[in-house]
Amino acid sequence: MTEDAPWLVVGLGNPGREYAGNRHNVGFMVADLLASRVGGKFGRHKRAVAEVAEGRLGFGGPKLVLAKPLTYMNLSGAPVVALAQFFKVPVEHVIAVHDELDVPYGQVRVKRGGGEGGHNGLRSMSKSLGSKEYARVRFGIGRPPGRQDPADFVLSDFSSVERKELEFLIDRAADVTEAVVFEGVEWAQNKYHGM
């Protein structure tokens, strides 16, 4: 693996205004913040059904390719593979940023590989990449209240109470993503998992 290979950071979500504030779209929110940090602007990619922004982390730092697949969550894998091939990104340099039901709201977790926990965006990525060995920045949204169907819960907007903290948490998720790029998954786990 070449150290100077770019990093592909995939914010998982659904395209369209009606989904913009959904819990399931937190990956898009983090990708938007990272784009503003690196001075990149999202535009439609010519080879993949995705919006892409490019930039460098810091002066002379690693190249970031930020992606928001436009295929809807369940089909995210195809644009991810197309972008990984186009930008020559090894799977070790792919990071998925996504909502996570099994992590309490307000916590951000990171791991490499493992199962998809019923997350259709991750399942599609793993299948298309032919590997699960990409990094995941898992934005905790917690379990649905009462008997609410998880599918309905992820497609609902954050509550007014959650929104009070949301900007801060998106900022933290962006920090965690940068830490994975600069220092690796294990370092990011040690630094952020106590929070």
Side-chain angles (χ1 to χ4, degrees), residues 63-189:
K63 180 179 178 179
L64 275 195
V65 177
L66 300 160
K68 297 191 291 187
L70 299 176
T71 48
Y72 292 96
M73 185 68 85
N74 299 1
L75 302 171
S76 301
V80 172
V81 167
L83 291 169
Q85 290 171 345
F86 183 84
F87 289 102
K88 299 181 172 45
V89 179
V91 74
E92 299 83 14
H93 276 213
V94 175
I95 303 172
V97 183
H98 63 92
D99 59 305
E100 178 60 71
L101 286 162
D102 293 325
V103 173
Y105 183 75
Q107 295 182 13
V108 179
R109 296 284 176 262
V110 60
K111 70 175 187 174
R112 180 177 297 284
E116 289 91 14
H119 197 292
N120 291 329
L122 294 177
R123 190 176 291 139
S124 178
M125 276 184 65
S126 298
K127 188 175 176 204
S128 296
L129 287 166
S131 171
K132 296 182 179 193
E133 290 307 304
Y134 52 90
R136 297 104 187 266
V137 173
R138 305 156 72 212
F139 189 106
I141 60 169
R143 302 299 303 182
R147 296 180 171 212
Q148 187 179 6
D149 181 357
D152 293 334
F153 180 67
V154 299
L155 291 175
S156 63
D157 288 358
F158 287 98
S159 71
S160 55
V161 173
E162 288 171 333
R163 279 199 297 273
K164 289 188 174 109
E165 272 192 292
L166 188 57
E167 204 173 313
F168 165 77
L169 296 171
I170 287 168
D171 199 59
R172 179 185 288 166
D175 290 346
V176 172
T177 306
E178 289 186 8
V180 171
V181 170
F182 279 122
E183 307 289 350
V185 165
E186 214 169 291
W187 188 94
Q189 287 171 336

